[in-house]
């Protein structure tokens, strides 16, 4: 069962804004019939944003809650993402996973990617600050060091219809299967239009 604290509603503006800076873009254009997997798909915000940017993308969502398949998804799997064993591998895994099981999501997602495929997850910036994860994921030579960390300059809100944030810093973390180089760090400025409207009142 999903912990209610782990359910984060990603607003469409944020998903669409982050996709503008996704390093996987060229790979998707160069791939014949590219595929995307959304772990914890929820209401389908990530799939909708991906289809808007790449209409040719075949999108599958996995959701543990009993939710109907959003119309923009080509495939829909009901169940625990960590137990999902598809018959093929994906070019892109994209989403905003539950923080409490994020490391498990990352490890499983890397197994589901084609060589050179991308894993792009919106996570709390604090995910990078952990002695345990340093030892198991980030230490020199380990294959689970992200290729790119894009820090959000503005704290996003995950409350539908509100611009209130949860006072936590977030980043888009990108892994590429087979990449063993150093991590690049960048910053993104993606303003919340709801917050902008509130400031003008």
């Amino acid at each position: 069962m999903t912990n209610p604290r782990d359910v984060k509603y990603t607003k469409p503006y944020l998903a669409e804004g982050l996709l503008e800076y996704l390093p996987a873009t060229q790979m998707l254009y160069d791939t014949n019939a590219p595929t995307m997997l959304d772990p914890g798909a929820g209401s389908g915000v990530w799939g909708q944003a991906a289809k808007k940017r790449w209409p040719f993308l075949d999108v599958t969502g996995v959701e543990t809650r009993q939710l109907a398949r959003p119309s923009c998804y080509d495939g829909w799997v009901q169940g625990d993402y960590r137990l999902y064993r598809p018959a093929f591998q994906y070019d892109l895994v994209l989403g905003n996973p539950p923080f409490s099981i994020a490391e498990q999501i990352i490890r499983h997602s890397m197994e589901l990617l084609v060589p050179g495929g991308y894993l792009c997850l919106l996570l709390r910036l604090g995910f990078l600050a952990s002695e345990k994860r340093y030892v198991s994921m980030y230490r020199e030579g380990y294959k689970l060091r992200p290729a790119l960390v894009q820090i959000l300059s503005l704290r996003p809100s995950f409350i539908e219809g509100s611009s209130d944030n949860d006072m936590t810093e977030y980043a888009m973390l990108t892994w590429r299967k087979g990449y063993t180089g150093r991590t690049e760090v960048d910053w993104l400025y993606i303003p919340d239009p709801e917050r902008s409207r509130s400031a003008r009142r």
Side-chain angles (χ1 to χ4, degrees), residues 104-162:
Q104 297 173 54
I105 295 287
I106 292 165
R107 291 182 181 279
H108 186 54
S109 296
M110 294 300 282
E111 294 177 6
L112 304 185
L113 284 173
V114 299
Y118 284 88
L119 168 62
C120 305
L121 299 177
L122 178 62
L123 290 167
R124 295 178 198 166
L125 189 57
F127 185 79
L128 296 173
S130 162
E131 182 179 3
K132 181 181 177 181
R133 283 190 286 272
Y134 167 74
V135 171
S136 64
M137 297 176 66
Y138 308 142
R139 194 162 48 185
E140 191 73 40
Y142 280 60
K143 296 180 180 179
L144 286 175
R145 175 179 288 194
L148 175 64
V149 175
Q150 295 168 297
I151 301 168
L152 274 62
S153 300
L154 299 177
R155 292 171 177 162
S157 167
F158 295 98
I159 305 170
E160 195 168 4
S162 170

Side-chain angles (χ1 to χ4, degrees), residues 73-86:
Y73 283 70
D74 302 286
W76 190 253
V77 179
Q78 201 82 53
D80 189 332
Y81 176 76
R82 295 167 293 179
L83 303 177
Y84 178 49
R85 297 289 188 273

Side-chain angles (χ1 to χ4, degrees), residues 3 17 35 39 41 55 77 87 89 110 193 195:
N3 186 331
T35 55
V77 179
Q89 293 177 305
M110 294 300 282
R195 195 171 301 168

Side-chain angles (χ1 to χ4, degrees), residues 18 50 52-53 85 94 99 103 115-116 133 147 166 172 201:
L18 287 169
K52 185 175 181 180
R53 183 162 178 77
R85 297 289 188 273
L94 171 70
F99 186 83
E103 183 174 342
R133 283 190 286 272
D166 62 3
M172 194 69 171
R201 289 173 188 160

